[in-house]
Amino acid sequence: MGGCQVLGQAWGGWRRGLGIRATPTAAGFGTKARHQLQRRGASKPSDPPGDQPFPGLLRPETFSREELVDVLRAAVVDLKGPLVTLNKPQGLPVTGKPGELTLLSVLPELSRSLGLGEQELQVVRASGKEASGLVLLSSCPRTASRLQKFFTHSQRARRPTATYCAVTDGIPVTSEGKIQAALKLEHIDGVNLVVPVQSPSRKDIMEGVKRTLSHFRVVATGSGCALVQLQPLTGLHPAREQHFPPVHTKAQVSLKIVTQSCQLQVFPSQLQAHMALQLCPVLGDHTYSARVGAVLGQRFLLPVEGTRPQRQVLDEALLGRLCLTPSQAARLPLHLHLHCLHLPGARPKDPPIELLAPLPSYFSRTLQCLGLHYQ
């Protein structure tokens, strides 16, 4: 297979191999995509829910290099031309420290396993470590460069190119909207955590505070939980001053940007942090869910300074619906999945193309247990 074919030559194969449809409205939450999720999410598990609390869940940290390559090869959704797409398992880091077993560290072996010879694969787009879902790879630098330019242009035009699916503990107050917040990374107790910043000063900006934005839409609700589609956005004009509204009326938190030099970025764990600010942490979020407290059924944000990551605590009713014991709930995987990526068409005037990754089995089981069906 040629290493650097023209990008347009691969699109026909992508459409056939993935059942991909071209759509002129790539930025929206289309009903077709929702129906696609419904069909996958509504399937029944092969065993009773109590017998397999997390069916299909892998533990990448326990794999050898050879085992990880085998898992990734089995996770390939399609291989056409210079492009490779795979459905990454939850818990696998894309990058890491030297010597750590990551997706990036085994790309040479994966390339050879896929019959690409010595062609080097590079990561174009990928879900984070704790999330599952799409990873887009390319063996052609020119193709990768073209895709990166497309993503950059889409960011500047405020057109989202990635859609995540999440199950949240709690239901957002509004069925759709935007979450905007100033965030920074802090090293706390040996862990890098995303921390919201109110009215950041110039010093905060110099120390890495960034403004972030995500679109969300509630797709289905049930049992006090929600199936939510999330689209992290970048590309607010860097020269515009942004004043962010309160994140949540009950939280009484107003995260403002008062400088022109703070550019919008997608943070690691941005979506988890954003949903915690909405008082609806992602199911299986054992880091940021601790920031949400409750008294007599009323939720509120706890001060970040006095809150440390801990295992997510679910009420007895929710544990019962999920058929989980408290010890099993402590091992609940993060229910955040990069379900869809939008790529450019073969020619400039062609509509964008959607790449889809099936939901993990444990994710589908959770939807069934919670009765999350589409309206």
Side-chain angles (χ1 to χ4, degrees):
M1 181 180 297
C4 198
Q5 301 177 19
V6 177
L7 184 61
Q9 296 175 356
W11 293 139
W14 281 97
R15 289 192 179 97
R16 292 191 296 272
L18 287 171
I20 294 168
R21 59 194 172 278
T23 171
T25 56
F29 298 98
T31 55
K32 290 183 180 179
R34 294 167 66 179
H35 293 160
Q36 179 85 22
L37 273 174
Q38 182 181 18
R39 290 195 295 272
R40 289 168 178 159
S43 60
K44 295 182 178 180
S46 57
D47 296 318
D51 295 342
Q52 283 191 318
F54 314 123
L57 180 64
L58 302 177
R59 296 296 181 188
E61 67 274 10
T62 67
F63 294 161
S64 66
R65 293 184 67 88
E66 294 76 13
E67 290 171 336
L68 180 56
V69 171
D70 289 341
V71 167
L72 293 177
R73 180 174 180 176
V76 170
V77 179
D78 203 27
L79 169 60
K80 289 295 186 298
L83 298 178
V84 179
T85 188
L86 56 86
N87 196 358
K88 184 184 79 68
Q90 189 269 345
L92 174 64
V94 177
T95 62
K97 299 177 181 178
E100 290 183 346
L101 192 59
T102 64
L103 171 67
L104 196 62
S105 71
V106 298
L107 284 184
E109 292 99 315
L110 179 61
S111 180
R112 290 191 292 270
S113 177
L114 294 175
L116 300 178
E118 297 303 318
Q119 299 177 40
E120 294 185 4
L121 284 172
Q122 62 185 95
V123 179
V124 181
R125 273 293 186 271
S127 51
K129 174 183 177 180
E130 296 304 323
S132 58
L134 283 167
V135 172
L136 182 62
L137 308 171
S138 175
S139 61
C140 173
R142 187 172 60 184
T143 298
S145 176
R146 181 193 167 187
L147 289 173
Q148 293 292 5
K149 289 179 181 178
F150 167 77
F151 290 132
T152 299
H153 182 268
S154 297
Q155 290 170 359
R156 291 174 178 171
R158 303 191 197 182
R159 291 196 301 266
T161 55
T163 300
Y164 288 77
C165 298
V167 179
T168 61
D169 176 19
I171 301 173
V173 174
T174 59
S175 61
E176 61 181 283
K178 299 178 182 179
I179 308 168
Q180 301 181 98
L183 301 176
K184 67 175 179 178
L185 280 172
E186 280 193 1
H187 195 71
I188 303 174
D189 295 339
V191 180
N192 288 324
L193 296 175
V194 174
V195 176
V197 179
Q198 300 183 45
S199 303
S201 65
R202 290 184 178 274
K203 181 180 178 182
D204 291 326
I205 302 304
M206 295 299 294
E207 292 179 351
V209 174
K210 304 293 182 182
R211 47 184 177 157
T212 60
L213 169 65
S214 299
H215 282 179
F216 72 91
R217 173 170 290 182
V218 177
V219 177
T221 62
S223 304
C225 296
L227 173 61
V228 181
Q229 288 181 324
L230 294 163
Q231 293 180 326
L233 263 176
T234 58
L236 287 181
H237 198 289
R240 293 180 182 173
E241 181 175 343
Q242 286 292 316
H243 296 279
F244 289 165
V247 174
H248 196 284
T249 56
K250 294 180 180 179
Q252 297 180 351
V253 176
S254 179
L255 301 176
K256 298 181 179 179
I257 295 298
V258 292
T259 178
Q260 297 178 354
S261 60
C262 181
Q263 297 193 14
L264 189 71
Q265 299 289 338
V266 176
F267 258 64
S269 304
Q270 172 178 317
L271 297 178
Q272 296 96 299
H274 277 184
M275 293 314 298
L277 289 172
Q278 290 291 294
L279 307 181
C280 299
V282 178
L283 203 63
D285 181 357
H286 302 294
T287 301
Y288 300 100
S289 61
R291 296 178 180 177
V292 180
V295 174
L296 299 177
Q298 296 296 314
R299 297 189 175 195
F300 56 91
L301 287 177
L302 295 169
V304 173
E305 297 77 13
T307 306
R308 294 294 179 266
Q310 64 181 25
R311 293 295 181 183
Q312 189 175 37
V313 178
L314 306 178
D315 61 42
E316 292 185 4
L318 183 51
L319 287 175
R321 288 302 302 266
L322 294 174
C323 302
L324 298 178
T325 65
S327 62
Q328 289 173 332
R331 297 182 284 110
L332 188 68
L334 185 70
H335 282 56
L336 181 65
H337 179 76
L338 178 49
H339 172 63
C340 178
L341 278 176
H342 298 287
L343 301 184
R347 293 174 295 273
K349 293 185 179 181
D350 287 351
I353 294 171
E354 289 183 341
L355 306 181
L356 301 175
L359 295 173
S361 299
Y362 63 83
F363 200 120
S364 297
R365 173 197 180 275
T366 296
L367 296 183
Q368 181 197 9
C369 290
L370 297 177
L372 293 177
H373 304 295
Y374 295 93
Q375 300 177 355

